[in-house]
Amino acid sequence: VQLGDAAARDLVAADAALAQAQAAVAQAEAGQATARLALTSLFPDLPLPEQARVPAEPPSLAGRDEDWVQLILARSHEIGAADALARQKDAEARRARADRVPDPSVGVRVLNDRGGRESAFGLIVMMPIGGSYRRAQAEATSADALGAGAALAMVRRDVQQDARRVVAMARALREVWQRQHEASAAAESSAAKAERAYALGETALAELLAARRTAQEAALAERRASVDAIEAAARVEVDAHERWHRHDTDEEAAAATAPAAIRLPDLGS
């Protein structure tokens, strides 16, 4: 503007673009501070890096989707709790049904009194007979067992449905990031050409600012898609107990065909 090579309105437009960028930075810093405060409040012992860095490429799930689903089902705490309750109710029902069957018991009683001068021998025979009370009790426990079995089936169905959803979401968000990455590269290439055209005096500053703004928005969308993909992959790992859990018992023999553990890239500085 001082040299007369640009109009004052170009300076205003450049200042406006700068102010918009600074506002976006301030908004991002406020979001970062809020997230850090929430994490430190909920998990005070969790170490946080000074600056989290998104990897250049988010990880992808190794192995087959069905392997991950079966691993989540095998290690689900919800299914384990529901299965334990169902087995307990089934045992109680079997015991109540067994109590309805006459179960005779025979005993011998010996009495010795007055220094052995008086002795008595007795034979005791007991045979509980199942009546209406025991029948009602057996029916009630059987109903409880059926209810617990139905609850187990519902929990298993819900966990399986959620497992398939989170695995599919991880795959889909990884694909979304790939498309956003391609879009960001194309927008950056277009902005570079716009800068070259402006330097040669072939385009106005407004066109350059528009191209640069488009490239910045595409880059931001690509970073957000990358974070979403990282979060989705970590969710699958958490649900499959591949992260923050240990399984050193023989119960893991059934999961021998599951994919190997996946470690997400370190997001620390």
Side-chain angles (χ1 to χ4, degrees), residues 1 3 24 40 53-54 85 113 156 180 183 188 195 198 203-204 219 222 224 257 260:
V1 173
L3 296 177
T40 54
R53 302 186 184 278
V54 180
L85 180 60
D113 198 8
R156 190 182 300 276
Q180 290 287 4
E188 182 62 32
E195 290 180 359
Y198 177 76
T203 59
E222 188 266 340
R224 287 176 174 171
T257 59

Side-chain angles (χ1 to χ4, degrees), residues 7-252:
R9 64 179 182 180
D10 290 341
L11 178 60
V12 173
D15 289 340
L18 176 61
Q20 289 178 347
Q22 292 172 338
V25 171
Q27 184 178 10
E29 290 176 345
Q32 180 189 34
T34 301
R36 182 179 293 273
L37 179 61
L39 282 174
T40 54
S41 298
L42 294 174
F43 309 100
D45 297 331
L46 180 66
L48 297 177
E50 290 297 327
Q51 181 68 35
R53 302 186 184 278
V54 180
E57 180 176 348
S60 59
L61 291 178
R64 300 186 306 122
D65 292 359
E66 190 61 28
D67 292 338
W68 283 107
V69 172
Q70 294 304 320
L71 189 60
I72 292 174
L73 290 176
R75 294 176 173 177
S76 171
H77 290 163
E78 292 84 357
I79 294 178
D83 180 66
L85 180 60
R87 287 187 282 107
Q88 175 186 348
K89 294 299 182 181
D90 182 68
E92 293 175 357
R94 287 186 284 107
R95 176 60 184 174
R97 289 193 297 268
D99 287 342
R100 295 190 60 194
V101 179
D103 186 12
S105 59
V106 180
V108 177
R109 177 175 294 180
V110 179
L111 300 177
N112 191 336
D113 198 8
R114 301 182 64 179
R117 293 192 296 271
E118 293 183 1
S119 300
F121 299 89
L123 180 64
I124 302 174
V125 179
M126 293 184 298
M127 181 179 294
I129 300 176
S132 59
Y133 171 76
R134 291 193 175 185
R135 181 175 64 252
Q137 190 177 29
E139 292 175 353
T141 54
S142 296
D144 290 342
L146 290 175
L152 172 60
M154 292 179 61
V155 171
R156 190 182 300 276
R157 180 199 62 190
D158 292 342
V159 172
Q160 184 178 34
Q161 180 181 3
D162 187 66
R164 295 187 185 280
R165 181 185 62 82
V166 296
V167 172
M169 183 63 67
R171 300 291 190 192
L173 290 180
R174 182 62 165 68
E175 185 66 21
V176 169
W177 168 82
Q178 185 63 41
R179 301 285 81 80
Q180 290 287 4
H181 179 71
E182 296 173 357
S184 178
E188 182 62 32
S189 177
S190 177
K193 293 179 180 179
E195 290 180 359
R196 178 61 177 170
Y198 177 76
L200 296 176
E202 297 178 358
T203 59
L205 179 62
E207 297 180 5
L208 172 60
L209 293 177
R212 178 49 58 191
R213 184 179 301 110
T214 299
Q216 292 174 347
E217 291 174 352
L220 180 59
E222 188 266 340
R223 292 291 85 187
R224 287 176 174 171
S226 180
V227 171
D228 291 342
I230 293 172
E231 180 182 4
R235 170 65 187 275
V236 174
E237 279 195 299
V238 171
D239 287 354
H241 295 188
E242 287 294 296
R243 181 177 288 265
W244 301 326
H245 292 79
R246 291 190 60 183
H247 295 271
D248 299 330
T249 64
D250 294 336
E251 296 176 356
E252 297 308 309

